[in-house]
Amino acid sequence: MSRTLIEKLGEGLPSGAILTDPDITASYAHDMASFCAAGTPAVVALPRTVEQVQHVMRTATALRVPVVPQGARTGLSGAANAGDGCVVLSLTKMDRILEINPVDRIAVVEPGVVNATLSRAVAEHGLYYPPDPSSWETCTIGGNIGTASGGLCCVKYGVTAEYVLGLDVVLADGRLLTTGRRTAKGVAGYDLTRLFVGSEGSLGVVVKATLALKPEPRQQLVLAAEFASTAAACDAVCEIMRGGHVPSLLELMDRTTVRAVNELAHMGLPETTEALLLAAFDTPEPAADLAAVGALCEAAGATQVVPAEDAAESELLLQARRLSLTALEAVKGTTMIDDVCVNRSRLGEFIEGVARIAQDLGLSIGVVAHAGDGNTHPTVCFDAADEDEAKRARESFERIMALGLELGGTITGEHGVGLLKKDWLAKEAGPVSLELQQGIKAVFDPLGILNPGKVF
Amino acid sequence: MSRTLIEKLGEGLPSGAILTDPDITASYAHDMASFCAAGTPAVVALPRTVEQVQHVMRTATALRVPVVPQGARTGLSGAANAGDGCVVLSLTKMDRILEINPVDRIAVVEPGVVNATLSRAVAEHGLYYPPDPSSWETCTIGGNIGTASGGLCCVKYGVTAEYVLGLDVVLADGRLLTTGRRTAKGVAGYDLTRLFVGSEGSLGVVVKATLALKPEPRQQLVLAAEFASTAAACDAVCEIMRGGHVPSLLELMDRTTVRAVNELAHMGLPETTEALLLAAFDTPEPAADLAAVGALCEAAGATQVVPAEDAAESELLLQARRLSLTALEAVKGTTMIDDVCVNRSRLGEFIEGVARIAQDLGLSIGVVAHAGDGNTHPTVCFDAADEDEAKRARESFERIMALGLELGGTITGEHGVGLLKKDWLAKEAGPVSLELQQGIKAVFDPLGILNPGKVF
């Protein structure tokens, strides 16, 4: 079977585009999720053209072989993990920026373009592609579309879904579908474009995307505020948003995270801090906005408020946030990063609930949050070699999911479902929604060969 | 059949919620589209609760009777037109605002809430619901969702789709589906919410919507610029957008429209004007933005630039735009409003093409456009009693659609497909997309009873 598969793939792909060495293909088996099984791919295909992708899908359809579309494998839900005997379809070699248009404020790109590459290229035209997942230096636009990625700027600029205008997609049977538009507006027919965003490669393979761009914003100015309780910090978040402010970033780090950052980088953040809030504004008068938001923080009980006076100081204040995940990883060697989003009015309750779960299970769980969006990343620090601790880490995941739903939130704000959260998607969406989603899946992929076992 | 239908509906609806008098039901047969046939409904149902909507759909499923969901019938594509023997399901009595939350910046509403009612209610909390179709004083949120409505503010604030976070939907068989979320972010499963937006009642009946809100913007300041050619006005539009400006409104009126407005309201707009451009800014320093944009207009050849100095002057300048459609209607008694959206870089070509079509066919066609979005409303003025002119009006519609597609645009920027543009949707989307869309329709409505004959 595998022999036939590789021969048939070779009929439409150059030999360099087919990897079969098990040592190499094994390196394509996993994304960055914890607790997710991965199988052994039969082959990794690295097409460079739409026609080559179509050939892969036609071959897979003919042979009934599963295909796992893949970007940079920076995902955190196992959505890009290989299954046994599958074709890993890596889109990383289709990495051309085809167009940047400053009048129409669009970019047309292939799926393998790295987020940072696009961001820098459009900046040269005075333009801005906002979605900025933490992995932006390595993750691809195709992966961002598959996952419906978010990032730090979403609180002002929204998520990937809001920037995808149109797609070219190779379907399971190899046919080419064009969705959406390249105009600013358009409502012709069902919104297939948005259906693909976040579908984790289960409905088709994105081979081209038309993206909306914004004008490049001004340099943002950052304020840091320390709080003696997470409740007070979360109150400040609520008051900032109630006050009609539009920060370009509003991030929260809890005590565990602050201490981990101190440990790693000796930044000298006060060890008494229970929560550190970072707010940024890229408005015409950011200093005035920082002053207003600083006053709200003080009213909410901030013990210290530090507004940056320039870009360099702002960058320094953001350093702590940027180091958070690395710092938490250093605590015990392994982390399990979660992604619950609650309403910002419930953020305090959620973070306190996570602290209780950590205490109950004797775990260290740091919480970093895109606080302005209520999107939290409880990050469980554990020693993967310690079986008992790993088991408790897994247990904490379940409890954190349950807590998120209990508070009216969602199990995933920006990381997706993949393998990790399939059971929880069923709980969040309910049977009616699940039946319809599976019905849609069957319309696009009747043989079930596209990323089987993911999402649901 | 009709007797059984009405009896069965009566088992779950109060008598006042069922209208059968043909004189009354006939008034529910049409939306505001031209050239679209409408049948005679068997009955109009006016439910007030989700359970009553479920009862209507269960009854319709049991009896295999088509159901046409309806809002305020201000649509312009015939999507809400009745078919013979159908149940018109008017959601206008489900008109409660259930929640307005300034911290989470969301509103939860029933579908029959009028757009203006919601806009005013949220403004009392310092909040803003941007989508503002021209019919905003009468159209409903449910209708806006069904149509994926736009409006004048889209150039800065986007369209309805970007404000719908989650929905409760009664399915064709009466089951209740909940989609989406009430959190700022969320990517759990396929995006069914966006699938419903713009689906024109063909996939289910929206009975509740969770909407995202923005903080109320500052008062906008308006600039008017006159041009001696539409090409120059469109150049100005391109330069404004290339320059990184973010107007809260950027509208264009062509000569035919300007003259019609003069005729109606004696506003004294110069008859030599070939195009009038209106730009607005709700930024912290709108006067500075108007000055910059005014200079760009002059560089592009504006013959006169008039920046407003305050809100009252701004309102005066907008009057001409607000009167446009009424004024064009007055020209010949009947109008056919079109809705092609092209890239703003092709706007000049499109408007010139429409002028050629008007000349070829001996018609008067005024163009008003949400120029910043490239979304145009060529408005054909004709005498419906003049058979030959009506025929030429219909012919101009076909040519305008073809021109839009030829320039890489879409057949509908914000009005939808309905009955009017079914043939053109097939041309724009192509057979692969259409097959998939019909497959999705069959998943949600296997019996085909929801708004049959619309969209495709």
Side-chain angles (χ1 to χ4, degrees):
Chain A
M1 165 63 141
S2 181
R3 173 106 185 251
T4 319
L5 171 64
I6 288 153
E7 275 173 20
K8 289 217 178 263
L9 286 174
E11 290 166 14
L13 288 172
S15 61
I18 302 177
L19 308 180
T20 54
D21 178 338
D23 288 344
I24 294 171
T25 58
S27 70
Y28 287 81
H30 276 281
D31 65 18
M32 292 175 68
S34 310
F35 299 128
C36 289
T40 304
V43 54
V44 174
L46 291 154
R48 287 178 183 271
T49 68
V50 173
E51 292 68 28
Q52 289 174 4
V53 175
Q54 291 184 288
H55 177 73
V56 171
M57 293 314 305
R58 282 194 204 105
T59 305
T61 287
L63 301 177
R64 307 287 196 269
V65 175
V67 174
V68 178
Q70 234 180 39
R73 295 191 311 281
T74 52
L76 291 163
S77 71
N81 281 12
D84 280 331
C86 79
V87 177
V88 164
L89 178 54
S90 171
L91 283 308
T92 48
K93 300 290 184 197
M94 291 181 69
D95 61 353
R96 289 178 304 162
I97 296 173
L98 303 171
E99 181 185 349
I100 295 173
N101 186 322
V103 168
D104 296 326
R105 291 185 185 164
I106 56 174
V108 183
V109 302
E110 290 185 334
V113 172
V114 169
N115 183 302
T117 306
L118 176 65
S119 296
R120 291 185 185 119
V122 302
E124 283 178 28
H125 298 265
L127 294 165
Y128 177 43
Y129 178 68
D132 60 344
S134 296
S135 56
W136 75 297
E137 289 279 7
T138 47
C139 66
T140 64
I141 296 297
N144 294 171
I145 291 170
T147 315
S149 303
L152 274 67
C153 73
C154 302
V155 64
K156 178 165 182 178
Y157 294 100
V159 295
T160 298
E162 286 161 52
Y163 293 90
V164 185
L165 298 177
L167 296 171
D168 279 6
V169 178
V170 174
L171 297 173
D173 59 12
R175 287 185 298 170
L176 187 64
L177 166 72
T178 297
T179 76
R181 57 189 206 268
R182 52 177 278 139
T183 51
K185 289 157 85 179
V187 297
Y190 296 160
D191 192 344
L192 299 186
T193 306
R194 293 282 164 89
L195 193 58
F196 278 101
V197 178
S199 66
E200 302 185 341
S202 66
L203 297 177
V205 183
V206 170
V207 291
K208 192 168 90 175
T210 303
L211 305 171
L213 304 171
K214 299 259 185 205
E216 208 175 15
R218 293 157 203 260
Q219 183 72 47
Q220 64 182 5
L221 218 51
V222 177
L223 167 144
E226 289 169 28
F227 292 85
S229 75
T230 50
C234 293
D235 283 350
V237 169
C238 290
E239 291 311 312
I240 291 167
M241 299 308 275
R242 190 201 306 276
H245 296 283
V246 184
S248 50
L249 171 153
L250 187 52
E251 296 286 315
L252 184 145
M253 298 160 60
D254 74 347
R255 180 179 54 168
T256 304
T257 309
V258 168
R259 290 183 178 197
V261 169
N262 263 348
E263 190 69 30
L264 180 81
H266 311 289
M267 292 191 75
L269 303 170
E271 296 273 325
T272 52
T273 298
E274 286 292 317
L276 187 67
L277 197 64
L278 296 165
F281 286 84
D282 58 7
T283 47
E285 292 177 26
D289 287 303
L290 290 195
V293 160
L296 289 175
C297 287
E298 277 164 3
T303 48
Q304 207 188 337
V305 171
V306 184
E309 296 200 344
D310 55 32
E313 280 184 32
S314 293
E315 200 41 49
L316 215 61
L317 292 176
L318 287 182
Q319 270 306 320
R321 172 63 184 86
R322 292 198 208 283
L323 288 172
S324 294
L325 294 180
T326 314
L328 288 167
E329 234 167 68
V331 172
K332 292 254 184 168
T334 307
T335 53
M336 147 97 214
I337 304 169
D338 220 316
D339 175 39
V340 166
C341 188
V342 295
N343 280 110
R344 58 182 77 93
S345 58
R346 312 298 294 269
L347 188 61
E349 282 172 82
F350 180 77
I351 295 177
E352 280 166 20
V354 170
R356 272 197 308 277
I357 292 168
Q359 198 172 19
D360 279 3
L361 295 172
L363 287 167
S364 179
I365 307 182
V367 178
V368 288
H370 309 309
D373 283 325
N375 189 183
T376 70
H377 296 311
T379 305
V380 188
C381 310
F382 66 102
D383 176 357
D386 179 338
E387 218 169 281
D388 181 67
E389 195 172 52
K391 204 178 137 203
R392 281 179 284 129
R394 193 77 180 80
E395 167 67 17
S396 75
F397 167 77
E398 307 292 332
R399 291 211 204 168
I400 288 168
M401 293 288 102
L403 177 65
L405 291 186
E406 199 185 304
L407 295 176
T410 173
I411 56 164
T412 176
E414 57 183 13
H415 292 172
V417 174
L419 288 169
L420 189 64
K421 296 184 177 174
K422 283 165 58 170
D423 297 346
W424 285 99
L425 175 65
K427 284 179 197 165
E428 177 170 337
V432 177
S433 174
L434 217 61
E435 181 190 314
L436 293 166
Q437 292 186 52
Q438 285 165 335
I440 291 171
K441 163 78 174 170
V443 168
F444 284 80
D445 179 21
L447 300 175
I449 61 168
L450 268 168
N451 215 3
K454 312 296 169 59
V455 191
F456 34 63
Chain B
M1 166 62 139
S2 180
R3 172 102 184 255
T4 317
L5 170 65
I6 288 154
E7 275 172 21
K8 288 219 178 261
L9 285 175
E11 289 166 14
L13 289 172
S15 60
I18 303 177
L19 308 180
T20 54
D21 178 338
D23 288 344
I24 295 172
T25 59
S27 70
Y28 287 80
H30 275 281
D31 65 16
M32 290 174 70
S34 310
F35 299 127
C36 289
T40 304
V43 54
V44 174
L46 291 154
R48 287 179 184 269
T49 67
V50 173
E51 292 68 29
Q52 289 175 5
V53 175
Q54 291 184 288
H55 177 73
V56 171
M57 292 314 305
R58 283 195 204 105
T59 305
T61 287
L63 300 177
R64 307 287 195 270
V65 175
V67 174
V68 178
Q70 234 181 40
R73 295 192 310 283
T74 52
L76 291 162
S77 71
N81 280 12
D84 279 332
C86 79
V87 177
V88 164
L89 178 54
S90 171
L91 282 309
T92 48
K93 301 290 185 197
M94 292 182 69
D95 62 353
R96 290 178 304 160
I97 297 173
L98 303 171
E99 183 185 347
I100 296 172
N101 186 323
V103 169
D104 296 326
R105 291 185 184 164
I106 55 174
V108 182
V109 303
E110 291 184 333
V113 172
V114 168
N115 183 302
T117 306
L118 176 65
S119 296
R120 291 184 185 119
V122 303
E124 283 178 28
H125 297 266
L127 294 165
Y128 177 44
Y129 178 69
D132 60 345
S134 296
S135 56
W136 75 296
E137 289 279 7
T138 47
C139 65
T140 65
I141 296 297
N144 295 171
I145 292 171
T147 317
S149 305
L152 274 67
C153 73
C154 302
V155 64
K156 178 165 182 177
Y157 293 100
V159 293
T160 298
E162 286 161 53
Y163 293 90
V164 185
L165 298 177
L167 296 171
D168 278 6
V169 178
V170 174
L171 297 172
D173 59 13
R175 286 185 299 170
L176 187 64
L177 166 72
T178 298
T179 76
R181 57 190 206 268
R182 51 178 279 139
T183 51
K185 289 158 84 180
V187 296
Y190 297 159
D191 192 344
L192 299 187
T193 306
R194 293 282 165 87
L195 193 56
F196 278 101
V197 178
S199 66
E200 303 185 339
S202 66
L203 297 177
V205 182
V206 170
V207 291
K208 192 167 90 175
T210 302
L211 305 171
L213 304 172
K214 299 261 184 203
E216 208 175 15
R218 294 157 204 260
Q219 184 70 48
Q220 65 182 5
L221 218 53
V222 177
L223 168 143
E226 289 170 29
F227 292 85
S229 75
T230 50
C234 293
D235 283 351
V237 169
C238 289
E239 291 312 312
I240 291 167
M241 300 308 274
R242 190 202 306 276
H245 297 282
V246 184
S248 50
L249 171 151
L250 188 53
E251 297 286 315
L252 184 146
M253 297 159 61
D254 74 347
R255 178 178 56 166
T256 304
T257 309
V258 168
R259 290 183 177 195
V261 169
N262 264 347
E263 190 70 29
L264 180 81
H266 310 292
M267 292 189 75
L269 303 170
E271 296 273 327
T272 52
T273 298
E274 286 292 317
L276 186 67
L277 196 66
L278 296 165
F281 287 84
D282 58 7
T283 47
E285 290 177 28
D289 288 303
L290 291 195
V293 160
L296 290 175
C297 287
E298 277 164 1
T303 47
Q304 205 188 339
V305 171
V306 184
E309 297 201 344
D310 56 32
E313 280 183 32
S314 293
E315 199 42 47
L316 216 62
L317 292 176
L318 286 182
Q319 270 305 318
R321 171 62 183 87
R322 290 197 210 285
L323 288 173
S324 294
L325 294 181
T326 314
L328 287 167
E329 234 167 68
V331 172
K332 291 254 186 168
T334 307
T335 53
M336 147 98 214
I337 303 169
D338 220 316
D339 176 38
V340 166
C341 188
V342 295
N343 280 111
R344 59 182 76 94
S345 58
R346 313 298 294 269
L347 188 61
E349 283 172 83
F350 180 76
I351 296 177
E352 280 165 22
V354 171
R356 272 198 308 278
I357 292 168
Q359 198 172 19
D360 279 3
L361 295 171
L363 286 167
S364 178
I365 306 182
V367 178
V368 288
H370 310 308
D373 283 324
N375 189 183
T376 69
H377 296 310
T379 305
V380 188
C381 310
F382 65 103
D383 176 358
D386 179 337
E387 218 168 280
D388 181 67
E389 195 172 52
K391 201 177 140 206
R392 281 179 283 127
R394 192 77 179 80
E395 166 69 16
S396 75
F397 167 77
E398 307 293 331
R399 292 211 204 169
I400 288 169
M401 294 288 102
L403 176 65
L405 291 185
E406 198 185 303
L407 295 176
T410 173
I411 55 164
T412 175
E414 57 183 13
H415 292 171
V417 174
L419 288 169
L420 188 64
K421 296 183 179 174
K422 284 164 59 169
D423 296 346
W424 285 98
L425 174 65
K427 284 179 198 166
E428 177 171 338
V432 177
S433 174
L434 217 61
E435 181 190 313
L436 293 166
Q437 293 187 49
Q438 285 165 335
I440 291 171
K441 163 78 174 170
V443 169
F444 284 79
D445 179 21
L447 300 175
I449 60 169
L450 269 169
N451 215 4
K454 312 295 169 59
V455 189
F456 35 62

